[in-house]
Amino acid sequence: MNSPRTLRPATAAGLACVALLVALLPSIWQRPDPRPRSGSATRLPTCGARTGAAACVTLGPAAALGRGTVRTYGEYRNGAPQAMGVSLTASALRALPSAPTDGKHCHDVDADGSTDPAHECVGGHSRELALPATPPGSAGTPFHWALFNWNPHGHDPHGRYDVPHFDVHFYLVPQEVRAGIRTGGCALLIACDQLATAARPVPAAYLPAGYPASSPETAEGAMGAHLDSRPPTTGTLTGQTFIYGAYAGGLIFMEPMLTKDFLQRHRDPATGHRTCDPIPQPAAWRTSGWYPTRYCTAYRPDQGDYTVYLTGFAHSAGAPALAATGTGG
């Protein structure tokens, strides 16, 4: 039997290794970062009845897309919104519809008794998405609902957006406002008696920097006018850009637009990837609330999903005394 003072060399060396490992553990082990690295929601715990200062996520109902699903989500911390976006499972990009449209919003322009899906329909393949509930005690965002569009062949204007892409609309007005914008034979298939309303200029005080006050040629049925800050010389979209929607002289939606190829280029199985750009802001918002200042496209490898989301929320006091149209923005 060995006494405590006569340990075998191998035993002594083993104890020394254990002691060294114990000493190094505090510097080796670190708490996992609770923040979602790629902007995807499900890393965070679901918001409960009492969230306090904890970061948490709320999820909207999922809708089928391709061989997967798409849904909305929101992130909150200290009662303030941190992100509002959509999450697509990686399988949602497989077996996407290839037909130009789902036929929901069409107009027989040439009155031949049928509608050409390539030229007499708008909206591509759409999903109307409910936003997730705002956690108790948290500040909500100004958005009412989201519209997700897949455009397998792109859409007009020609030479700018006729490439496979996604439109993610976050609406600042209720669904019935959008439903009242009818299809017809003017501009991008908007009802001709609504074209002047759609083309009414947004007042300078509420117009984001770099955007036109009006764009009647891009007024679209079941959508509204699209205000685009990209100069005509930039050509066909290859990455992501940001569109504002307008109707009756007010902003009615905020829209990240991105190509399918751009989204797929974010799929790095090892580290994920994220691209963020600033959202140009107006001098004032008509309605008080929390408004985003950046938009991002990301991929999260450990969950295998893509996200397109608004972030960098800042509070605006609004200018309710100046609001005249009731269309938001």
Side-chain angles (χ1 to χ4, degrees):
M1 180 179 292
N2 296 315
S3 68
R5 295 184 180 181
T6 58
L7 291 175
R8 293 177 181 174
T11 304
L15 289 175
C17 290
V18 171
L20 179 61
L21 180 61
V22 170
L24 290 174
L25 273 176
S27 62
I28 295 174
W29 184 84
Q30 297 178 350
R31 283 186 178 275
D33 186 352
R35 296 169 299 177
R37 291 175 297 174
S38 68
S40 191
T42 53
R43 270 184 179 270
L44 299 178
T46 301
C47 297
R50 304 178 67 180
T51 59
C56 62
V57 63
T58 57
L59 301 174
L65 180 69
R67 292 180 178 167
T69 58
V70 57
R71 72 192 313 168
T72 58
Y73 73 90
E75 293 176 9
Y76 295 83
R77 184 189 293 271
N78 294 325
Q82 303 297 301
M84 179 63 67
V86 297
S87 172
L88 301 84
T89 59
S91 55
L93 269 65
R94 298 200 298 269
L96 284 168
S98 59
T101 176
D102 54 20
K104 293 178 183 177
H105 302 288
C106 302
H107 182 77
D108 184 9
V109 178
D110 57 12
D112 67 350
S114 63
T115 54
D116 178 357
H119 301 101
E120 295 181 317
C121 296
V122 291
H125 297 264
S126 63
R127 301 290 186 273
E128 296 183 2
L129 303 175
L131 296 183
T134 301
S138 297
T141 70
F143 304 111
H144 291 254
W145 61 290
L147 178 66
F148 184 90
N149 297 82
W150 157 237
N151 301 278
H153 306 286
H155 54 66
D156 288 336
H158 176 68
R160 293 179 64 75
Y161 301 122
D162 45 358
V163 61
H165 71 269
F166 300 99
D167 299 325
V168 188
H169 307 80
F170 295 93
Y171 269 86
L172 296 159
V173 294
Q175 285 181 277
E176 53 263 30
V177 174
R178 179 256 188 164
I181 305 174
R182 308 186 315 277
T183 55
C186 288
L188 300 183
L189 295 186
I190 193 171
C192 292
D193 62 352
Q194 293 183 309
L195 181 60
T197 302
R200 188 181 304 167
V202 176
Y206 308 122
L207 185 66
Y211 287 80
S214 177
S215 183
E217 68 277 6
T218 65
E220 183 174 331
M223 194 77 71
H226 294 71
L227 307 184
D228 184 359
S229 65
R230 297 173 70 235
T233 55
T234 54
T236 304
L237 182 68
T238 59
Q240 66 179 10
T241 190
F242 199 85
I243 305 291
Y244 275 99
Y247 191 76
L251 301 178
I252 64 170
F253 62 77
M254 303 173 77
E255 177 196 345
M257 176 189 288
L258 59 148
T259 68
K260 180 186 178 186
D261 177 68
F262 177 74
L263 186 67
Q264 290 178 309
R265 292 202 306 265
H266 282 71
R267 189 173 182 178
D268 185 332
T271 62
H273 185 59
R274 176 170 55 186
T275 299
C276 296
D277 288 303
I279 298 175
Q281 302 290 299
W285 292 96
R286 277 196 171 105
T287 305
S288 63
W290 291 83
Y291 290 87
T293 61
R294 290 183 295 136
Y295 71 107
C296 305
T297 296
Y299 176 71
R300 186 183 60 179
D302 54 352
Q303 294 293 328
D305 65 357
Y306 300 92
T307 56
V308 182
Y309 62 101
L310 310 177
T311 188
F313 281 84
H315 189 267
S316 170
L322 300 179
T325 66
T327 56

